[in-house]
Amino acid sequence: MAIIVNIYYRGKNGNAKRFAEEMISSGIVADIRAEEGNIKYEYFFPMDDEETVLLIDSWVNQQSIDIHHASPMMEKITKLREKYDLHMEVERYVSDEDGIPETDKAFIQE
């Protein structure tokens, strides 16, 4: 089981994108990706909303998330969120252990 967290960072005047760029350029993203239990940490930009950045963050379990939240990186992330005056919307999902059903695979071009 993996826990997938979608975090929508919303700002003004391009601040959400600048936040993501600074997260990457400062090395914070690389450090998070290297944390034990992290599966994925990727930013995406919605085509219809230039003021939002979507982070898809995936972890092996809740304990990994808790350890990440207790790490010094969270203070750095919080400071950057405040610097860019961002607001967040969070969605959490649990992975489907059975994977993609055969009936759905017919629609996937690899």
Side-chain angles (χ1 to χ4, degrees):
M1 174 192 81
I3 299 172
I4 300 98
V5 183
N6 290 351
I7 303 174
Y8 297 87
Y9 289 102
R10 293 191 172 93
K12 295 180 181 176
N13 303 315
N15 278 347
K17 187 170 185 177
R18 281 193 280 283
F19 164 80
E21 289 168 346
E22 189 166 344
M23 285 285 293
I24 294 167
S25 67
S26 68
I28 295 171
V29 168
D31 290 343
I32 293 168
R33 288 176 179 157
E35 284 184 285
E36 187 172 333
N38 182 263
I39 298 169
K40 181 178 189 165
Y41 199 92
E42 297 281 338
Y43 291 104
F44 297 89
F45 305 99
M47 291 178 63
D48 61 347
D49 183 355
E50 293 182 8
E51 299 299 340
T52 297
V53 170
L54 167 62
L55 168 64
I56 299 178
D57 190 12
S58 183
W59 298 85
V60 296
N61 55 32
Q62 184 61 46
Q63 181 181 7
S64 297
I65 295 172
D66 293 342
I67 291 168
H68 168 66
H69 285 162
S71 75
M73 275 179 272
M74 284 310 299
E75 184 177 341
K76 294 176 185 177
I77 296 167
T78 300
K79 285 182 180 180
L80 283 180
R81 281 195 314 241
E82 291 170 358
K83 174 182 176 180
Y84 291 105
D85 190 25
L86 299 180
H87 302 275
M88 301 159 56
E89 177 186 336
V90 179
E91 303 169 340
R92 286 176 50 108
Y93 303 96
V94 177
S95 63
D96 181 351
E97 293 299 314
D98 294 330
I100 300 171
E102 290 300 319
T103 54
D104 289 351
K105 287 182 180 179
F107 300 98
I108 300 172
Q109 182 175 335
E110 293 186 14

